[in-house]
Amino acid sequence: MQLDMHFYGTYALARAAGIPQEDAYTIAYAAQYVDDSTKQDSKQHEDGGLLYGIATSHDGGQCVLNYHKDVHGSREEQRRVWVPFHFLPGAEGKDFEEQLLCKKNSKPAQEMMQNHLRLAAEKPYGLELLGIAAHVYMDTFSHFGFSGVSSSLNKIIDGSIKPLELKDPKMADYVLSKLGRFIKRYKLGSVISFFAEESTGSLGHGAVATFPDRPYLKWCFEYEYPHESTTSSIPIEAEQIEVRDNKVHFFEGCELLYHYFRGFAGARYPEPDVIPFEDIADDIKEIITTEDDCHGRIDKWRALSWKNTPVISQKIRYNKSDWENQKFDFDDSEESKHNISSNVYRFHQAAAYHRYYVLKDLLPAHGIAAY
Ligand SMILES: [Zn+2]
């Protein structure tokens, strides 16, 4: 999913569920920052204190830098980053590779939500943790059927990916041009092993580019190796065509996330100011089905209102530098301990905890030794 859903959608759902503005902002910011915390950099204070920052996502350059640090090449990094933060394994299937496939609203995803909601109530980094949970949970509604490691199960048949039923012919051109650019970009890097994996489409949903992340898109594709137990492919004349209607899945994710937030708000705030989901369901459906680029979809979220009051107040905007720049305050402050209450310090507390929890606790409990 992209900025429209991870920040603005998350914020709107949190507000509607009765979470006050400031806390909803922290949750939504953390949800989007999972995609923007791409630097594996730490800051040291002259008193000896350290802010240990981890990458919760990667851009291309960072993949190359990290490649040499891994004993097993980029594969360890895939397991540290893509598996816990973007492709939570569904833990179903007959072998390890199938179990790693992400599954929509999977059992591990539900367990993670329950665990993090419980912790969010008692930890100082609870809101940041809840934001990370919202990111990971919502990703299961777009990334299902793919895994966060290099796997033949992520490959699709060349040329099989197609957008379906787009009303605006310009959007079809736009989506296809993005697909073309995406594939070209990754082919360029194919001298590096990591990129070779991405260019052949064996890592994550690299093979289907950003198709799963566009809420309005209905599209189809065909896996190179059909999945037996984790997706619902439709056999058409001996072919196994996967048809995905993103808006159905995105809407389902929104409704479920809203209810998790409702549970949190009910337990944490004395009299939460709640908007019933039914009252905004049609508007959310309309936002999700809007055929537009990310900016256009963000404008739609920003225009969402209930009883003539905007759900997202005008001053609310996402700027990825806000928390990133807080890292510089760490070494500038009088004592390192003063920064323990900063959002960026708390985000990295939450991210480190989440990674440990998924890789060393949740997945092993489901019989998966991924890391
Ligand atoms: Zn993600």
Side-chain angles (χ1 to χ4, degrees):
M1 293 189 181
Q2 299 172 334
L3 176 64
D4 56 327
M5 192 64 240
H6 279 317
F7 179 73
Y8 292 94
T10 302
Y11 180 85
L13 293 168
R15 290 289 293 127
I19 298 175
Q21 281 196 24
E22 209 180 317
D23 289 0
Y25 177 79
T26 303
I27 292 166
Y29 195 105
Q32 172 58 33
Y33 193 57
V34 170
D35 276 344
D36 294 321
S37 175
T38 54
K39 290 188 189 133
Q40 187 79 33
D41 67 344
S42 302
K43 296 281 176 224
Q44 186 159 17
H45 194 279
E46 59 182 12
D47 70 6
L50 189 77
L51 188 171
Y52 183 68
I54 64 165
T56 51
S57 185
H58 280 315
D59 50 30
Q62 197 68 32
C63 297
V64 179
L65 289 175
N66 289 336
Y67 180 77
H68 300 286
K69 293 181 193 162
D70 283 344
V71 178
H72 300 105
S74 57
R75 288 194 172 86
E76 275 191 24
E77 197 58 13
Q78 293 171 4
R79 289 160 193 247
R80 273 197 292 265
V81 173
W82 301 121
V83 172
F85 291 104
H86 306 276
F87 291 85
L88 188 70
E92 284 186 11
K94 63 180 183 323
D95 56 27
F96 179 75
E97 262 185 288
E98 278 200 359
Q99 287 178 318
L100 279 196
L101 291 169
C102 183
K103 187 174 176 280
K104 190 174 77 165
N105 195 28
S106 62
K107 222 165 161 276
Q110 292 176 30
E111 278 175 39
M112 173 205 70
M113 288 305 288
Q114 296 296 353
N115 179 76
H116 287 13
L117 279 167
R118 187 177 48 77
L119 270 186
E122 57 194 53
K123 295 288 181 190
Y125 55 84
L127 296 173
E128 288 80 359
L129 183 66
L130 194 48
I132 292 172
H135 181 113
V136 177
Y137 185 67
M138 288 304 278
D139 269 0
T140 72
F141 292 85
S142 58
H143 293 175
F144 63 93
F146 296 94
S147 69
V149 297
S150 297
S151 161
S152 56
L153 293 179
N154 290 332
K155 290 188 177 186
I156 68 158
I157 292 174
D158 254 357
S160 69
I161 178 169
K162 292 180 190 80
L164 303 169
E165 298 171 15
L166 279 169
K167 288 187 205 87
D168 181 354
K170 278 193 214 130
M171 259 344 259
D173 291 345
Y174 172 77
V175 165
L176 284 169
S177 75
K178 287 270 182 189
L179 174 66
R181 241 181 291 161
F182 188 93
I183 288 170
K184 217 156 119 196
R185 188 151 42 100
Y186 284 99
K187 293 262 190 221
L188 278 175
S190 63
V191 283
I192 311 283
S193 160
F194 182 88
F195 286 145
E197 280 162 359
E198 286 213 344
S199 71
T200 56
S202 66
L203 174 62
H205 65 68
V208 289
T210 54
F211 274 46
D213 296 323
R214 297 176 190 280
Y216 56 85
L217 200 61
K218 186 170 179 179
W219 54 293
C220 66
F221 66 99
E222 201 179 340
Y223 285 116
E224 210 167 300
Y225 303 96
H227 298 184
E228 282 165 27
S229 43
T230 52
T231 55
S232 52
S233 54
I234 305 165
I236 301 173
E237 293 175 4
E239 293 172 334
Q240 297 282 319
I241 308 285
E242 289 283 330
V243 178
R244 290 275 176 97
D245 195 351
N246 292 354
K247 50 190 160 298
V248 174
H249 306 299
F250 274 59
F251 182 76
E252 192 186 343
C254 286
E255 187 168 9
L256 289 164
L257 184 62
Y258 167 89
H259 287 293
Y260 279 120
F261 285 157
R262 268 290 288 270
F264 176 76
R268 186 176 178 112
Y269 309 105
E271 280 176 28
D273 206 357
V274 173
I275 303 172
F277 189 77
E278 309 80 74
D279 288 10
I280 47 167
D282 287 343
D283 290 335
I284 289 177
K285 265 186 199 151
E286 208 225 301
I287 295 169
I288 287 171
T289 43
T290 300
E291 293 179 7
D292 209 336
D293 63 14
C294 194
H295 296 295
R297 301 195 310 263
I298 287 170
D299 289 345
K300 281 276 186 179
W301 276 111
R302 293 174 64 85
L304 176 68
S305 66
W306 185 65
K307 293 186 176 170
N308 293 325
T309 307
V311 176
I312 301 180
S313 71
Q314 278 312 301
K315 63 177 197 301
I316 297 295
R317 279 190 193 277
Y318 178 80
N319 178 353
K320 71 176 176 185
S321 309
D322 286 352
W323 286 12
E324 198 59 36
N325 287 343
Q326 286 180 9
K327 285 181 183 169
F328 297 108
D329 298 335
F330 188 79
D331 31 5
D332 284 348
S333 60
E334 211 176 304
E335 288 184 83
S336 58
K337 68 180 179 191
H338 295 155
N339 292 289
I340 290 172
S341 57
S342 70
N343 292 118
V344 75
Y345 192 90
R346 286 177 170 171
F347 176 83
H348 286 290
Q349 282 182 285
Y353 169 76
H354 173 80
R355 182 154 76 182
Y356 165 80
Y357 167 75
V358 171
L359 295 175
K360 294 292 196 190
D361 191 341
L362 179 67
L363 295 184
H366 284 271
I368 300 175
Y371 191 75

